[in-house]
């Protein structure tokens, strides 16, 4: 990639015929495709047509001035690099041109080498600018990460559904379509479920972020809550041939928190353990009171999570695994779990061995009688 | 250049979107091949030598499509293959615009998701015709 690429186009705009000829010769020998024009108006039309990477323009021409041409070129495409040619008498104009966005200027008369050096430097700069612009886009994407990723992830299923419906609408009577129509409808439905889940998860995250939990800390007994979730999931687990057991015991395992959030937290974990498992596999839920903390463990016999993915597991939009059957999680489930655990003053962690399974452990501060009463009272006062 | 059925490579990490576009283009008489990541897209382009590429830019590895397009343009055998960017990026990243001629991402057309099939058909027809015309050595270029 070191040498000039022949697909690099250069436009030369100069009213001086000799100048046009020598530019064409010098630049042509550099392997560049050169087009020349004798005035600004024609030159601009040429720029719009040729889409060059570089324009060499004389500042002093009858008709449209070089400076005007320069500005108009950047209206066509701001990434085009412009080099201006100027006589000694018009150095001031040259500086003005630089201020207006010209990359460099060549005083007349110039040696072929001077033109060559400036042109290759200008093209190099253009390549660098292209690279930095790509990085800029990436940075921008990261900055707007949350909003743009959510909108992207909502739009992807929406686009797929739209495309399928449009197909059915347009090609409905074609014989080769009849066989596929059912599949398209089925897949559209699956994608609409995906959208609904993302919206639900997004709202859950927003709710946790909005501090709405802090005010409503009741003492929740985790034991019956876990039992309810396990009962609810057992049937689904059986469908995929996974055995779900719980040794959460009778309790009480009191945690100061919000019942619906605790439900979301543990349901997500147990649901994942069932989903990322294997036929014939197991999920074991255990909970106990340890040193003033309620510790809940969800152990699965799934494929496990690679060590390098573990630190990223609870980040928004990180997806370590594909769901069996090709469906995809939205990358928010575990992020939600972490937010809830953190919000309630606890922690969440994961251990995993590839091929053997994973263990998710949540530690939450246990509620004492005082701890339960105090936040409720302060919440009342706050109102 | 395939004489009978032009071959179109659809690169998109959304299987359903790719399937729907593939079904439509297949119905229009094109041969369709697919790839679900930027990297796979470049590999398939090298193996299949498509006549046109439809490329999503926001795929699993973030802006993978940008890299894939740059990679295609660097390959002498693929540098001239028309590339259509198919994306919802304009709506996702407000204020972001790419000009087709921008040399860091030279592409031939942009189609927003969801794609209007008529627009897609017209775009593909036009680019294939232009590409075919360009491939025939012109007697004289002004």
């Amino acid at each position: 990639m070191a040498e000039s690429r022949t697909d690099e186009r250069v436009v030369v705009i100069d009213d001086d015929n000799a100048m046009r000829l020598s530019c064409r010769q010098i630049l042509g020998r550099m392997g560049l495709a050169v087009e020349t024009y004798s005035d600004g108006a024609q030159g601009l039309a040429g720029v719009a047509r040729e889409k060059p990477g570089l324009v060499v323009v004389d500042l002093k021409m009858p008709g449209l001035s070089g400076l005007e041409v320069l500005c108009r070129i950047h209206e066509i495409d701001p990434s085009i690099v412009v080099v201006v040619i100027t006589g000694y008498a018009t150095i001031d104009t040259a500086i003005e041109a630089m201020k207006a966005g010209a990359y460099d200027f060549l005083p007349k008369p110039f040696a072929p080498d001077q033109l060559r050096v400036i042109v290759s430097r200008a093209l190099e700069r253009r390549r660098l600018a292209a690279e930095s612009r790509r990085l800029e886009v990436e940075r921008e994407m990261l900055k707007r990460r949350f909003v743009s990723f959510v909108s992207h992830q909502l739009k992807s299923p929406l686009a797929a559904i739209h495309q399928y419906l449009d197909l059915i609408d347009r090609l409905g009577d074609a014989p080769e379509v009849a066989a596929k129509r059912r599949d398209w409808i089925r897949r559209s439905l699956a994608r609409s479920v995906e959208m609904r889940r993302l919206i639900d998860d997004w709202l859950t995250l927003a709710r946790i972020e909005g501090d709405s939990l802090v005010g409503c800390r009741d003492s929740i007994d985790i034991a019956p809550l876990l039992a309810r979730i396990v009962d609810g999931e057992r049937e689904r687990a059986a469908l995929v041939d996974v055995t779900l057991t719980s040794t959460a015991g009778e309790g009480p395992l009191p945690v100061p928190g919000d019942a619906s959030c605790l439900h979301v937290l543990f349901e997500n974990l147990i649901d994942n353990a069932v989903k990322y498992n294997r036929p014939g596999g197991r999920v074991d839920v255990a909970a106990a009171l340890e040193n003033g903390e309620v510790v809940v463990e969800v152990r699965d016999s799934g494929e496990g999570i690679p060590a390098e993915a573990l630190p990223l597991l609870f980040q928004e939009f990180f997806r370590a695994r594909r769901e069996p059957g090709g469906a995809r999680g939205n990358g928010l489930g575990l992020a939600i779990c972490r937010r809830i655990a953190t919000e309630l003053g606890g922690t969440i962690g994961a251990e995993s061995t590839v091929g053997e399974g994973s263990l998710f452990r949540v530690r939450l501060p246990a509620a004492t009688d005082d701890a339960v009463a105090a936040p409720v009272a302060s919440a009342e006062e706050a109102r | 250049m395939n004489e009978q059925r032009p071959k179109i490579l659809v690169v998109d990490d959304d299987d359903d979107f790719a399937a729907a576009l593939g079904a439509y283009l297949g119905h229009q008489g094109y041969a369709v091949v697919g790839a679900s990541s930027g990297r796979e897209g470049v590999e398939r382009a090298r193996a299949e030598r498509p006549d046109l590429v439809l490329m999503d830019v926001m795929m699993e590895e973030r802006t993978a499509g940008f890299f894939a397009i740059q990679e295609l343009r660097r390959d002498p055998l693929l540098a001239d293959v028309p590339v259509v960017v198919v994306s919802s990026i304009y709506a996702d990243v407000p204020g972001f615009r790419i000009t087709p001629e921008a040399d860091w991402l030279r592409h031939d057309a942009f189609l927003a998701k969801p794609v209007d099939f008529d627009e897609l058909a017209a775009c593909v027809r036009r680019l294939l015709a232009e590409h075919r015309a360009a491939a025939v050595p012109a007697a004289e270029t002004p």
Side-chain angles (χ1 to χ4, degrees):
Chain A
M1 293 316 298
E3 57 199 37
S4 301
R5 287 170 3 189
T6 44
D7 63 349
E8 201 79 74
R9 289 166 185 278
V10 177
V11 161
V12 177
I13 311 171
D14 198 318
D15 58 324
D16 180 349
N17 187 36
M19 188 63 82
R20 288 200 304 274
L21 279 176
S22 63
C23 281
R24 178 188 283 279
Q25 215 170 36
I26 297 165
L27 299 174
R29 284 204 199 111
M30 290 174 72
L32 302 166
V34 187
E35 293 297 329
T36 62
Y37 301 92
S38 58
D39 70 56
Q42 282 184 46
L44 282 173
V47 168
R49 198 169 46 240
E50 298 289 329
K51 319 216 185 302
L54 176 80
V55 177
V56 180
V57 58
D58 188 8
L59 274 182
K60 204 154 170 271
M61 294 183 293
L64 272 182
S65 80
L67 204 59
E68 225 174 317
V69 172
L70 164 67
C71 295
R72 299 264 292 272
I73 288 171
H74 282 158
E75 280 168 21
I76 296 173
D77 179 356
S79 77
I80 296 175
V81 180
V82 181
V83 172
V84 297
I85 303 176
T86 171
Y88 278 120
T90 55
I91 287 291
D92 282 349
T93 331
I95 290 164
E96 208 179 314
M98 307 276 291
K99 281 186 191 155
Y103 169 68
D104 207 343
F105 68 93
L106 263 173
K108 265 190 216 174
F110 52 83
D113 260 348
Q114 277 176 289
L115 178 64
R116 273 194 286 268
V117 167
I118 282 191
V119 163
S120 31
R121 218 171 16 182
L123 288 175
E124 178 59 23
R125 182 188 110 123
R126 186 169 147 82
R127 274 189 281 274
L128 290 177
E131 176 63 13
S132 74
R133 206 155 336 126
R134 192 184 58 67
L135 292 174
E136 223 171 85
V137 172
E138 284 254 327
R139 256 200 306 277
E140 186 63 11
M141 300 264 185
L142 281 178
K143 208 163 61 187
R144 297 171 192 269
R145 205 180 106 143
F146 194 81
V147 173
S148 70
F149 269 73
V150 169
S151 85
H152 182 75
Q153 286 194 46
L154 277 177
K155 273 182 201 150
S156 298
L158 186 60
I161 293 166
H162 176 103
Q163 241 54 80
Y164 279 139
L165 290 178
D166 200 3
L167 266 182
I168 294 166
D169 185 35
R170 279 160 187 264
L171 315 179
D173 298 330
E176 80 265 26
V177 168
K180 292 183 188 148
R181 196 185 300 136
R182 247 190 108 77
D183 183 47
W184 293 343
I185 292 171
R186 198 179 47 78
R187 289 170 76 158
S188 296
L189 288 171
R191 298 307 294 268
S192 79
V193 170
E194 178 189 326
M195 289 183 76
R196 202 194 58 223
R197 280 202 191 124
L198 178 61
I199 292 169
D200 287 347
D201 284 355
W202 196 15
L203 289 175
T204 304
L205 261 181
R207 202 157 64 90
I208 303 164
E209 272 184 337
D211 283 346
S212 57
L213 288 183
V214 181
C216 57
R217 293 207 176 164
D218 307 325
S219 176
I220 308 293
D221 185 358
I222 294 251
L225 184 113
L226 285 174
R228 268 201 309 279
I229 297 171
V230 167
D231 281 346
E233 288 277 330
R234 195 167 277 129
E235 199 174 327
R236 244 171 42 80
L239 281 178
V240 288
D241 193 17
V242 168
T243 309
L244 177 57
T245 62
S246 170
T247 51
E250 292 299 309
L253 300 168
V255 168
D258 168 88
S260 70
C261 277
L262 285 165
H263 194 276
V264 168
L265 164 58
F266 294 115
E267 191 181 49
N268 271 351
L269 288 181
I270 295 168
D271 190 58
N272 274 350
V274 170
K275 204 156 52 187
Y276 298 105
N277 218 305
R278 58 179 167 77
R282 302 184 48 82
V283 173
D284 297 304
V285 181
L289 196 59
E290 282 175 18
N291 308 321
E293 285 181 323
V294 170
V295 182
V296 180
E297 293 183 344
V298 179
R299 188 186 295 274
D300 68 63
S301 60
E303 60 191 61
I305 301 154
E308 64 270 20
L310 280 175
L312 304 170
L313 210 52
F314 297 98
Q315 275 185 17
E316 284 143 18
F317 303 114
F318 179 78
R319 291 180 300 212
R321 311 161 285 189
R322 263 197 167 218
E323 282 177 37
R328 243 185 269 154
N330 60 31
L332 285 181
L334 286 177
I336 287 173
C337 291
R338 186 184 59 178
R339 290 264 182 97
I340 294 173
T342 311
E343 199 63 42
L344 298 176
T347 57
I348 185 169
E351 296 163 20
S352 190
T353 310
V354 172
E356 288 180 22
S358 310
L359 168 67
F360 285 83
R361 184 182 292 116
V362 178
R363 294 176 184 277
L364 298 171
T368 61
D369 287 347
D370 289 349
V372 178
V376 174
S378 64
E380 288 301 326
E381 281 160 26
R383 275 183 206 127
Chain B
M1 177 76 55
N2 301 316
E3 287 306 328
Q4 292 98 12
R5 296 180 65 194
K7 191 189 285 178
I8 298 178
L9 170 63
V10 180
V11 188
D12 200 304
D13 68 336
D14 190 308
D15 297 344
D16 289 317
F17 184 83
L21 249 59
Y24 179 75
L25 292 168
H27 183 80
Q28 295 280 306
Y30 298 107
V32 181
V33 286
S36 59
S37 72
R39 204 174 305 113
E40 193 196 338
V42 173
E43 278 165 19
R44 292 224 73 180
R46 290 199 171 118
E48 300 278 351
R49 305 286 308 279
D51 299 295
L52 184 138
V53 178
L54 298 177
M55 177 81 77
D56 183 17
V57 289
M58 289 276 291
M59 289 182 283
E60 295 215 49
E61 312 116 75
R62 302 217 302 276
T63 54
F66 290 149
F67 292 98
I69 293 175
Q70 290 180 339
E71 194 67 26
L72 293 182
R73 293 316 192 197
R74 274 198 287 267
D75 187 324
L77 292 176
L78 297 165
D80 293 329
V81 173
V83 173
V84 181
V85 172
V86 181
S87 175
S88 57
I89 191 168
Y90 282 7
D92 289 347
V93 185
F96 175 68
R97 286 287 178 278
I98 34 174
T99 44
E101 59 272 19
D103 71 347
W104 66 282
L105 192 70
R106 198 155 49 80
H107 58 288
D108 301 270
F110 180 94
L111 291 175
K113 279 186 182 182
V115 167
D116 181 310
F117 281 132
D118 291 329
E119 217 179 296
L120 171 69
C123 176
V124 165
R125 255 199 316 274
R126 173 176 65 82
L127 289 176
L128 286 174
E130 281 175 14
H131 188 56
R132 202 170 284 137
V136 178
E140 176 67 11
T141 31

